[in-house]
């Protein structure tokens, strides 16, 4: 019966227990999984993220800090355009963590959505809005910018218009017309465009990865009534594995430094 059950399964993990323990629940299985992964010499981490450099900075720090001591490494970071797609994938594929972003004026609505999805906020960070552009851009010498300063320049946007980097600020809508924009799909395309064109991108606070790129400049954006928020999410009533907790600690340290 076990063999036939395994053949019918389409999931990544299967727990097998004897009939003397009929009241096994999901949180119990999560604790078993967390304990098992802490014993094995395995660095395992799975997460869904929206396109952002903070998540990648944290992942690099996580791997550099713990990767050398692990015999096996199994890390998955799946990137998506929208908050909803990120969370749906986390729930369906049982990823350990998710990193999403939203506009601060949406906070009450977003937290209701988290509650409905049985998610808990592990770390929350609100940041100053920033403009990211080529270091040789005509505006790159400024200490700060406003949306009016950006009028007439080309804006880089992710192809999915629901991505928070586009919609952090309702005030920005009139400055993101189809007249001057470049639609992209991946973060790598964003970096290439910032390095070699005069197009700009609206985003969160600068990450270490951006700050260390000599071709790119990050400048605070003022004059907005709201701010971008980045959160790290876990599933309610689930025990974080040792590696998920390690990543959460790194994420907290990195975001506190922004």
């Amino acid at each position: 019966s076990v063999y036939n059950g395994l053949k019918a399964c389409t999931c990544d993990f299967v727990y097998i227990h004897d009939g003397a323990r009929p009241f096994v629940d999901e949180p119990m299985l999560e604790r078993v999984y967390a304990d098992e992964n802490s014993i094995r010499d395995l660095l395992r981490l799975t997460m869904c993220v929206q396109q952002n450099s903070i998540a990648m900075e944290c992942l690099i720090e996580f791997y550099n800090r713990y990767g050398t001591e692990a015999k096996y490494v199994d890390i998955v970071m799946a990137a998506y355009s929208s908050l909803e797609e990120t969370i749906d994938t986390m729930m369906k594929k049982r990823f350990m963590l998710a990193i999403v972003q939203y506009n601060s004026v949406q906070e009450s609505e977003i937290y209701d959505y988290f509650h409905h999805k049985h998610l808990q906020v592990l770390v929350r960070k609100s940041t100053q809005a920033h403009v990211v552009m080529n270091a040789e851009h005509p505006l790159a010498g400024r200490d700060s910018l406003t949306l009016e300063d950006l009028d007439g320049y080309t804006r880089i946007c992710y192809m999915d218009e629901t991505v928070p980097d586009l919609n952090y600020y309702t005030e920005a809508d009139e400055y993101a017309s189809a007249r001057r924009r470049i639609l992209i799909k991946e973060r790598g395309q964003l970096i290439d465009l910032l390095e070699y064109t005069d197009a700009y991108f609206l985003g969160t606070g600068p990450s270490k990865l951006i700050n260390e790129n000599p071709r790119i400049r990050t400048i605070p954006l003022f004059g907005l009534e709201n701010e971008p928020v980045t959160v790290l999410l876990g599933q309610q009533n689930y025990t974080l594995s040792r590696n998920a907790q390690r990543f959460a600690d790194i994420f907290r340290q990195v975001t506190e430094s922004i």
Side-chain angles (χ1 to χ4, degrees), residues 1 7 29 47 81 98 116 127 174 180 182-184 195 203:
S1 62
K7 289 198 299 181
L29 295 178
M47 72 184 87
S81 295
H116 174 71
T127 57
E174 62 184 288
R180 297 195 66 85
I182 300 175
L183 296 181
I184 60 172
E195 287 185 339

Side-chain angles (χ1 to χ4, degrees), residues 106-239:
Q106 300 173 299
E107 186 130 76
S108 178
E109 176 185 349
I110 293 295
Y111 267 61
D112 287 343
Y113 178 72
F114 292 160
H115 179 74
H116 174 71
K117 291 290 187 177
H118 305 290
L119 299 172
Q120 60 176 328
V121 175
L122 303 174
V123 183
R124 176 193 180 279
K125 175 65 176 182
S126 59
T127 57
Q128 168 74 48
H130 282 72
V131 182
V132 189
M133 58 177 51
N134 187 286
E136 301 299 323
H137 193 284
L139 300 177
R142 303 277 192 92
D143 293 328
S144 64
L145 293 169
T146 66
L147 289 173
E148 289 78 7
D149 295 328
L150 300 172
D151 192 20
Y153 292 102
T154 301
R155 182 178 178 182
I156 305 170
C157 309
Y158 280 110
M159 197 170 294
D160 187 330
E161 289 291 341
T162 63
V163 69
D165 281 325
L166 298 181
N167 298 321
Y168 279 144
Y169 335 102
T170 55
E171 302 99 317
D173 291 346
E174 62 184 288
Y175 296 96
S177 68
R179 184 171 59 90
R180 297 195 66 85
R181 71 176 184 182
I182 300 175
L183 296 181
I184 60 172
K185 186 64 177 179
E186 299 175 353
R187 183 172 169 272
Q189 297 170 325
L190 170 65
I191 300 302
D192 289 341
L193 286 167
L194 290 173
E195 287 185 339
Y196 297 105
T197 74
D198 66 352
Y200 70 90
F201 181 77
L202 295 183
T204 59
S207 73
K208 179 180 178 181
L209 299 180
I210 296 296
N211 283 342
E212 292 182 351
N213 188 328
R215 292 179 176 269
I216 298 175
R217 176 87 196 282
T218 303
I219 305 172
L221 180 66
F222 288 96
L224 304 177
E225 296 182 358
N226 47 68
E227 57 189 7
V229 178
T230 303
V231 296
L232 176 68
L233 298 169
Q235 299 191 41
Q236 289 180 359
N237 303 319
Y238 285 14
T239 302

